[in-house]
Amino acid sequence: MEANLHWTLVTAVAPVAWGTTYFVTHAYLPAGDPLYGAAIRALPAGLLLLAVRRELPHGSWWWRSAVLGFLNTGVFFALVYVAAQLLPTALASTVMATSPMVMMLIAWGLVAERPRARHLAGAGVGAGGVALMLLAGEVPAAPLGVLASVAAMLLSSLGYVLAKRWGGEVDVLASTSWQLIAGGLLLLPFAVLVEGAPPHLDGPALLGFAYVAVVATALAFAAWFAGLRHLPAATVGLVGLLNPVTGVLLGTLVAGEVLTVRQFCGLVLVLAGVVLGRPVAGRARAVRAARRGVDHHAA
């Protein structure tokens, strides 16, 4: 139980940090340059982790890093950047919270993790809360912004499960750095072709990118992928519901966005979904006991 709680708390660092990126992007980063914005977020974070771990890809990890970089960082960051510029903080972070159900279905097919009743219940309750928060705001949703959020959710859900399937072979920090660097390098030529010269960055923009790259990318993704190695994908997906909770609270407390009664009720439902899908102590003890039995017989 203690190990499950430890890795749940480690994993929670990621969605909480991600929930802050919507406000930072909307308030401080330059609008109209999503490709450069995504590249500036990914590359420094990947190089920072590479400097810490000092390990290059090998074998199949060259193409795996490219695939994961495309899904989890490159296109994902660009879509999130677009969503953050077009939608209010609370709304942008809420759309991504539909990912737990998608992650459960993909994990069932790719890593044979069949979703349990508590995971499905948590996802259902959390999705209900998301719908309540999404449909009850005072600001209408921009269709392009919602579409960008949905596309980001679908791509990243697939990428996270693939990272879980492949990740046991290499160090977490190393594989995370490779993904971030691959995603950033993938974005750069498209940024030059589509957006031209890099955007001018003033002081607040530089500080905003520093925060997004170090805290909301390097630290957050390392925590997220570590959680995927130690917890079921369904549980990790439900922990990700803390993303919209953070976005809503930050949008309300800092950005001055109005939190309606319905949105507050939706927020409570989202938190209830996270609690419903938490790892069960009894099952964890049973798994450990079974492993000890196998080790004993093997000895």
Side-chain angles (χ1 to χ4, degrees):
M1 179 60 179
E2 291 79 7
N4 281 333
L5 178 60
H6 168 76
W7 288 113
T8 300
L9 292 175
V10 169
T11 306
V13 170
V16 170
W18 292 337
T20 66
T21 61
Y22 299 100
F23 170 74
V24 174
T25 300
H26 191 79
Y28 299 108
L29 302 189
D33 297 291
L35 296 176
Y36 273 118
I40 295 171
R41 175 182 178 182
L43 269 177
L47 293 173
L48 174 62
L49 292 179
L50 185 64
V52 172
R53 189 62 184 89
R54 297 185 180 182
E55 181 179 346
L56 293 175
H58 49 82
S60 62
W61 270 99
W62 285 103
W63 67 264
R64 289 179 178 180
S65 298
V67 171
L68 295 178
F70 174 84
L71 294 172
N72 293 335
T73 59
V75 178
F76 173 70
F77 285 173
L79 291 171
V80 168
Y81 199 98
V82 170
Q85 296 291 350
L86 295 178
L87 299 175
T89 300
L91 189 55
S93 58
T94 297
V95 177
M96 288 293 294
T98 55
S99 63
M101 184 66 75
V102 177
M103 283 185 66
M104 287 181 201
L105 295 176
I106 296 175
W108 192 355
L110 290 183
V111 295
E113 285 186 0
R114 185 174 183 176
R116 299 185 175 276
R118 70 177 186 277
H119 294 140
L120 295 173
V125 171
V130 167
L132 200 58
M133 295 165 71
L134 178 61
L135 299 175
E138 293 187 349
V139 179
L144 182 58
V146 174
L147 182 62
S149 289
V150 172
M153 178 272 296
L154 293 173
L155 290 175
S156 62
S157 295
L158 173 60
Y160 295 153
V161 177
L162 285 175
K164 179 177 179 64
R165 180 176 180 176
W166 296 334
E169 305 172 7
V170 295
D171 178 79
V172 172
L173 292 183
S175 62
T176 303
S177 71
W178 303 337
Q179 294 178 54
L180 291 168
I181 292 172
L185 292 176
L186 172 70
L187 286 165
L188 274 181
F190 291 98
V192 173
L193 288 174
V194 176
E195 298 174 355
H200 171 72
L201 302 179
D202 56 13
L206 287 173
L207 291 176
F209 271 122
Y211 170 81
V212 168
V214 176
V215 177
T217 304
L219 175 63
F221 273 88
W224 184 255
F225 291 129
L228 277 170
R229 293 199 182 184
H230 294 87
L231 297 171
T235 298
V236 174
L238 288 170
V239 173
L241 291 173
L242 295 175
N243 184 332
V245 171
T246 304
V248 168
L249 292 178
L250 192 62
T252 302
L253 298 176
V254 179
E257 298 172 5
V258 177
L259 182 67
T260 66
V261 174
R262 288 185 182 180
Q263 285 180 307
F264 179 79
C265 293
L267 188 149
V268 172
L269 287 177
V270 168
L271 291 176
V274 175
V275 173
L276 280 173
R278 73 192 188 283
V280 177
R283 176 169 175 78
R285 286 195 295 268
V287 171
R288 287 196 296 269
R291 288 177 178 171
R292 285 195 297 268
V294 170
D295 294 339
H296 175 73
H297 289 303

